[in-house]
Amino acid sequence: MNTLLSAALLVAFLSHLMFFAIAKADWHDYYAIERVDYPIEIDPQVGGLTAMKDGRLALTVMHGDVVIYDPESETWDVFASGLHMPLGIVEEKPGQFLVIQKPELTRLIDTDSDGKADQYQTVYDDFGMTGNYHEFAFGPVVDSEGNIFVALNVASNFNGVFEYIRGEYSDLCPPKDKMQQWHDFEKWKQGYRKKVTRMFSCAPYRGWVMKIAPDGEATPFASGFRSPAGMGFDDNGRLWVTDNQGDWIGTSPLHHVSEGDFAGHPASLHWKKGWQKPHSEIEAPDLLPLRKPAAALFPHGELANSPTKPVKTIAKSLFGLPEGELLLGDMNKNHLIRYLPDEIDGTLQGTLIPFVGGNALGIGNYTMDFSSDGALWVGKVHMNWAGGEGLLKITKKKTPFLIESVTLHKNGFQITANEPIEAMPDAVSITHHTYHYHAKYGSEKVDVTSVVPAKLTLDKSRKQLFITLDSLAENRLYTIDLGEMVSANGKPLMGTVLRYNLIKRAGDSQ
Amino acid sequence: MMVSKSVCTICFVLLLMTLSVDVYANDMGETAFKENCGACHNLKQNSTGPSLVYIGEHYPETKREAFLAWVKSPGKKNPDMIQMPAITYLDNDTLAAIHLYILDVSKDQKQEGEKPKFAPYKPPQRPYPQVLRHYLPFTSPASIAIALNSELTVVWDTTIAKLRYVYPTGANFDGEKRREENAKAIMYSEQSEVLFSFVKNTEIMFKGYQLIKGEPEFHYQVGNVEVKERIHLGSNEKSFVREFTITGVKHDVALTLDHSSLSSIRLNGKPLTDDNVHLSPEQVSSFSIEVEL
């Protein structure tokens, strides 16, 4: 009995040591996170950030400035000012930037090379504005042919519309004179607001991604967005857009966006050619034939509440992640998130995995870019919601033990690590679930189902783990928790929970 | 034997610690709170949302149902805080666990003073003129405020490509928040939405602006007509000048300057007796208007 007790206690003791050994695994062992000293004169809320070709950073800040930060000399210079909530910036050439601000896409040019923009050229402003605070404008991102893409947020019934608006007022919306009576908030809240959809699109093209050709011609490109705060292209020229959980969006998605897509939020349909049903009368069955499922889903509260701008990763030697995958932040969670795409018969789906996190990172990680030396710069914002302020620099110390790809096969998932796996994991747990598609705000997880893997296999290189499942279900978000996994070199796996959005099952060839 | 007993004791304590760690980590209320609420709610201080002490006081255990109802369909209690999004994606058991956690962790704690999570940014004073785009009342949301000096701020609407009104620099013109108060503060406003007769029923393309010595020169196109309008301070602290350079005009142009408030208007330096003026294509190619308030 004593021997048994001693053995049990010894196991507990070893488990305890193991617990602390694993608990000690820390992102800080692999990545350094530095907060950049930020001068008091500069607005600390960063809405846009781009690493310039000369090594400096251009930031757009909420108060309306474009600021250029030189990491070498640690100097800050105001390049442009007076912009209305600029939330994104792209460098076109030295002394010339594209910036999205609430009312327009603007080209800023320093024509006399004095370090300050003197031309504020309107590139695109042919979209509506009602004055509603929630009508943000996001982007810009540019494809290889020079087309520019921006996204237009929908309005919120927390406020109504202004007396003067820009653009047409939709006749599918509630009467404008009623929507103007929101200034007495209590009266609005108890009165007409109850008849207004949670989000609305009463001016064109709210809820759309717009494409602006090099000749300036704008095309409504894709619809069905609510708060498409993050846009980015990957190395294959594919456009990716994040959206926010809310009405009609059960949990925050990452969309692969092609021309003509409808992402799921109905407000934008007011501006679809031939569409005649008011948003307030739309029901889910009206939308199901139109809706393109999201490539990835961020379980709300767990992975992200408001995912932000995707940035494509650079050379593996510089930052440790496979080159060309997407890295995202979130407004509410203090970790970054990787997206590993997987294409099944033309359908893009794939896996989200938590990345660098902790208090040093903090929340509000809205805009990121890599500089050519391999540093990841992170700009923070809050806009009086949950979020942060300032600028961070993240650099690789050494490459962690990571999952490099997750691919779906006919009978399971092939998970590839960047180093040999020491031993077959013994605590893999798998569930899958879905979300409601409804006008209500957000959705609980629906029909959470546990799955017991039929078999786990490691290949000869020990880098590939194959999880065989008896069956795979479509349109389900699979959560694969690999548990504690250690590399052959004794490194703990960083990012152990994989969330694979299975839209389409793999065929016989996969 | 003594050594063995000691080892056992240590192991037993560690086992308990391990178990307690597990229990701690598995506390559903705390985990759910941190995942869903922690970004906005602090223990003792109001930040993005109210403190847990405040919530605990307003929703004691006897008001569990009211707590559940509120988080599923929140209103707005505090005008200085944003409205919470509805938490309809968590089931009642989880919400009740969050409520229990809030009550537990805030028990015997005291509310601390208001402390905004982030101090509001105060931009440094910059030289005039200052050009700033933001939401303003009595004009489209795509308007621009040009503070010419410490007294005059001109509002120019890019939607109609035209000056709308002038208000005192520093007055709180922020969206439509103070419409009645702001209406009274306006120093000058133009009644017509059309300045030039060639604009009537023709689409306006706003092309942006150039800063010349910090002064904005707006560019827009109406059909084949290109207009540049530069705005700067006039001959005294209470006047402003609009300098126009226009190309592509082939016919006489009617200029409408109907306005409210007492002010004297000069066209190319000469006082105007009539708010409606006709200009030849040559005259319209380059002229200035000075408004003295």
Side-chain angles (χ1 to χ4, degrees):
Chain A
M1 187 65 192
N2 271 347
T3 314
L4 274 175
L5 181 63
S6 296
L9 289 174
L10 190 61
V11 167
F13 179 64
L14 290 173
S15 303
H16 187 81
L17 287 181
M18 180 78 94
F19 174 84
F20 280 99
I22 296 296
K24 222 182 132 195
D26 192 317
W27 284 109
H28 295 96
D29 296 338
Y30 305 100
Y31 291 92
I33 302 177
E34 301 163 62
R35 184 166 271 276
V36 174
D37 274 344
Y38 208 98
I40 196 163
E41 303 80 29
I42 306 290
D43 186 345
Q45 288 201 69
V46 184
L49 180 159
T50 190
M52 294 163 62
K53 289 176 188 73
D54 65 7
R56 297 181 296 163
L57 299 179
L59 317 176
T60 61
V61 297
M62 292 303 287
H63 184 69
D65 294 333
V66 173
V67 181
I68 295 183
Y69 169 62
D70 186 340
E72 208 165 285
S73 60
E74 297 182 5
T75 52
W76 302 73
D77 294 297
V78 175
F79 177 79
S81 56
L83 307 173
H84 189 176
M85 205 181 274
L87 291 176
I89 184 164
V90 168
E91 185 187 29
E92 290 192 309
K93 58 184 182 182
Q96 184 171 315
F97 297 92
L98 273 177
V99 170
I100 187 76
Q101 53 173 326
K102 222 166 181 178
E104 64 174 49
L105 175 69
T106 309
R107 179 169 285 123
L108 302 170
I109 312 173
D110 172 15
T111 57
D112 56 7
S113 301
D114 67 348
K116 296 202 181 306
D118 42 78
Q119 296 270 7
Y120 291 63
Q121 294 176 355
T122 303
V123 178
Y124 171 59
D125 71 347
D126 195 12
F127 58 88
M129 298 177 82
T130 68
N132 186 284
Y133 75 103
H134 206 259
E135 288 179 344
F136 309 112
F138 302 111
V141 288
V142 185
D143 72 11
S144 57
E145 291 166 1
N147 297 298
I148 306 163
F149 294 79
V150 300
L152 303 171
N153 219 54
V154 293
S156 160
N157 76 359
F158 186 55
N159 282 178
V161 305
F162 276 24
E163 178 186 4
Y164 295 90
I165 67 168
R166 182 174 76 186
E168 182 189 344
Y169 186 84
S170 172
D171 56 12
L172 297 176
C173 268
K176 182 169 175 286
D177 60 335
K178 300 275 188 198
M179 293 288 278
Q180 281 174 221
Q181 294 167 26
W182 55 274
H183 302 98
D184 179 340
F185 183 72
E186 280 307 311
K187 206 171 154 189
W188 167 253
K189 196 174 85 176
Q190 299 304 328
Y192 200 72
R193 185 190 182 203
K194 291 182 177 173
K195 296 185 180 174
V196 182
T197 50
R198 184 74 167 76
M199 298 288 149
F200 60 87
S201 174
C202 293
Y205 284 93
R206 293 282 151 201
W208 286 74
V209 168
M210 304 298 294
K211 174 185 174 185
I212 300 106
D215 66 1
E217 191 182 342
T219 317
F221 187 74
S223 62
F225 298 95
R226 182 181 177 278
S227 285
M231 307 179 78
F233 274 101
D234 66 14
D235 278 341
N236 297 311
R238 299 181 294 215
L239 177 61
W240 298 90
V241 178
T242 56
D243 209 334
N244 271 229
Q245 182 247 29
D247 55 324
W248 292 100
I249 301 183
T251 203
S252 298
L254 171 68
H255 293 283
H256 164 238
V257 179
S258 302
E259 186 156 16
D261 284 351
F262 170 72
H265 194 282
S268 58
L269 292 172
H270 283 178
W271 307 103
K272 183 181 167 70
K273 268 187 190 163
W275 187 268
Q276 292 183 334
K277 199 169 195 179
H279 174 187
S280 55
E281 295 173 15
I282 293 174
E283 293 173 354
D286 299 326
L287 305 175
L288 288 169
L290 306 175
R291 183 189 183 209
K292 178 176 169 178
L297 293 170
F298 303 79
H300 192 85
E302 292 174 15
L303 199 58
N305 289 16
S306 295
T308 58
K309 301 180 190 178
V311 62
K312 60 186 179 187
T313 50
I314 54 169
K316 198 170 170 180
S317 56
L318 289 171
F319 198 69
L321 291 177
E323 184 171 358
E325 66 178 44
L326 297 178
L327 192 58
L328 303 104
D330 181 57
M331 293 304 295
N332 295 55
K333 306 302 288 185
N334 65 353
H335 55 219
L336 302 182
I337 304 150
R338 299 167 59 205
Y339 169 64
L340 284 56
D342 188 26
E343 191 167 352
I344 302 292
D345 294 336
T347 296
L348 275 154
Q349 45 199 42
T351 308
L352 295 170
I353 309 180
F355 186 56
V356 169
N359 290 337
L361 178 73
I363 64 173
N365 303 305
Y366 179 58
T367 179
M368 305 190 285
D369 202 7
F370 286 100
S371 50
S372 55
D373 59 359
L376 177 69
W377 299 87
V378 183
K380 290 170 174 276
V381 81
H382 58 78
M383 293 162 76
N384 295 322
W385 279 291
E389 290 187 339
L391 180 64
L392 304 180
K393 181 185 182 186
I394 304 179
T395 45
K396 188 188 81 168
K397 291 183 190 169
K398 60 181 179 184
T399 301
F401 178 40
L402 296 166
I403 299 304
E404 286 207 330
S405 75
V406 180
T407 52
L408 184 68
H409 290 248
K410 195 186 171 190
N411 57 343
F413 295 96
Q414 181 176 295
I415 297 165
T416 308
N418 62 346
E419 292 181 25
I421 299 163
E422 168 66 16
M424 186 72 79
D426 59 1
V428 174
S429 74
I430 302 176
T431 61
H432 60 77
H433 67 275
T434 184
Y435 292 95
H436 290 299
Y437 182 40
H438 57 199
K440 275 170 70 180
Y441 201 99
S443 164
E444 61 196 6
K445 288 181 179 178
V446 174
D447 189 22
V448 180
T449 308
S450 291
V451 179
V452 179
K455 193 168 61 168
L456 296 178
T457 338
L458 265 180
D459 78 337
K460 273 186 186 170
S461 72
R462 304 188 72 84
K463 284 186 179 177
Q464 281 187 353
L465 171 68
F466 199 94
I467 301 178
T468 306
L469 300 178
D470 288 334
S471 66
L472 287 156
E474 292 186 334
N475 295 311
R476 310 284 293 185
L477 179 60
Y478 277 77
T479 303
I480 305 169
D481 188 341
L482 296 172
E484 291 156 4
M485 244 170 74
V486 180
S487 78
N489 297 324
K491 286 171 147 173
L493 181 68
M494 301 304 285
T496 55
V497 182
L498 321 177
R499 293 178 173 91
Y500 187 101
N501 193 29
L502 199 164
I503 302 167
K504 204 169 189 180
R505 275 191 294 257
D508 288 336
S509 59
Q510 283 154 319
Chain B
M1 192 62 190
M2 282 295 285
V3 173
S4 171
K5 267 190 175 173
S6 301
V7 167
C8 284
T9 309
I10 292 166
C11 288
F12 189 63
V13 170
L14 288 173
L15 177 64
L16 285 178
M17 280 172 66
T18 307
L19 289 173
S20 69
V21 166
D22 287 341
V23 168
Y24 188 68
N26 288 330
D27 185 297
M28 183 168 80
E30 181 179 7
T31 307
F33 174 84
K34 286 182 174 168
E35 286 181 351
N36 298 283
C37 326
C40 294
H41 296 281
N42 290 339
L43 177 59
K44 297 187 228 175
Q45 286 171 330
N46 296 344
S47 56
T48 309
S51 71
L52 303 195
V53 175
Y54 175 96
I55 297 169
E57 283 170 1
H58 285 74
Y59 294 100
E61 203 160 356
T62 52
K63 291 193 176 173
R64 167 78 37 84
E65 290 304 315
F67 174 84
L68 264 58
W70 174 266
V71 297
K72 286 177 184 174
S73 179
K76 186 171 161 70
K77 283 184 176 169
N78 188 329
D80 297 328
M81 290 179 193
I82 61 157
Q83 187 180 14
M84 187 174 88
I87 311 291
T88 52
Y89 50 89
L90 296 179
D91 59 30
N92 280 356
D93 288 348
T94 310
L95 292 173
I98 289 174
H99 187 221
L100 263 182
Y101 169 74
I102 291 172
L103 293 178
D104 184 42
V105 78
S106 64
K107 193 180 167 191
D108 301 328
Q109 300 287 342
K110 283 191 177 162
Q111 176 83 14
E112 290 183 357
E114 293 290 324
K115 189 182 172 192
K117 203 164 182 178
F118 303 105
Y121 168 68
K122 286 183 187 158
Q125 181 64 30
R126 290 179 179 161
Y128 294 108
Q130 298 160 2
V131 179
L132 182 63
R133 301 189 75 149
H134 64 111
Y135 283 165
L136 293 151
F138 320 117
T139 186
S140 93
S143 295
I144 304 179
I146 308 120
L148 295 173
N149 61 8
S150 60
E151 301 197 30
L152 304 182
T153 295
V154 172
V155 172
W156 204 90
D157 186 349
T158 68
T159 304
I160 57 168
K162 193 179 164 301
L163 185 152
R164 285 264 191 194
Y165 60 87
V166 179
Y167 71 89
T169 300
N172 197 346
F173 275 53
D174 178 13
E176 290 193 336
K177 280 182 187 163
R178 281 166 285 272
R179 280 157 52 91
E180 287 180 20
E181 188 187 331
N182 288 161
K184 289 178 196 154
I186 286 177
M187 304 160 83
Y188 170 87
S189 70
E190 295 193 349
Q191 312 295 304
S192 170
E193 291 210 347
V194 173
L195 179 61
F196 297 110
S197 51
F198 58 74
V199 171
K200 271 181 194 158
N201 303 319
T202 312
E203 197 179 333
I204 296 166
M205 187 196 286
F206 175 63
K207 297 170 85 171
Y209 56 94
Q210 180 174 7
L211 293 178
I212 304 168
K213 295 178 187 166
E215 296 165 356
E217 181 186 73
F218 298 104
H219 297 187
Y220 59 96
Q221 188 173 341
V222 185
N224 293 321
V225 178
E226 294 267 357
V227 183
K228 292 182 178 179
E229 178 182 353
R230 179 173 173 185
I231 297 179
H232 57 83
L233 202 60
S235 51
N236 66 53
E237 295 291 299
K238 289 276 191 185
S239 81
F240 61 92
V241 175
R242 302 155 77 182
E243 287 183 41
F244 291 90
T245 310
I246 303 180
T247 56
V249 173
K250 291 184 178 156
H251 305 287
D252 281 5
V253 172
L255 192 65
T256 307
L257 288 163
D258 291 340
H259 58 277
S260 67
S261 74
L262 284 174
S263 52
S264 64
I265 300 184
R266 289 185 284 275
L267 179 71
N268 292 330
K270 291 179 185 164
L272 269 189
T273 50
D274 189 341
D275 288 341
N276 296 291
V277 186
H278 284 262
L279 298 174
S280 69
E282 193 185 352
Q283 287 172 315
V284 88
S285 65
S286 177
F287 71 98
S288 70
I289 298 168
E290 179 165 10
V291 178
E292 186 169 353
L293 304 174

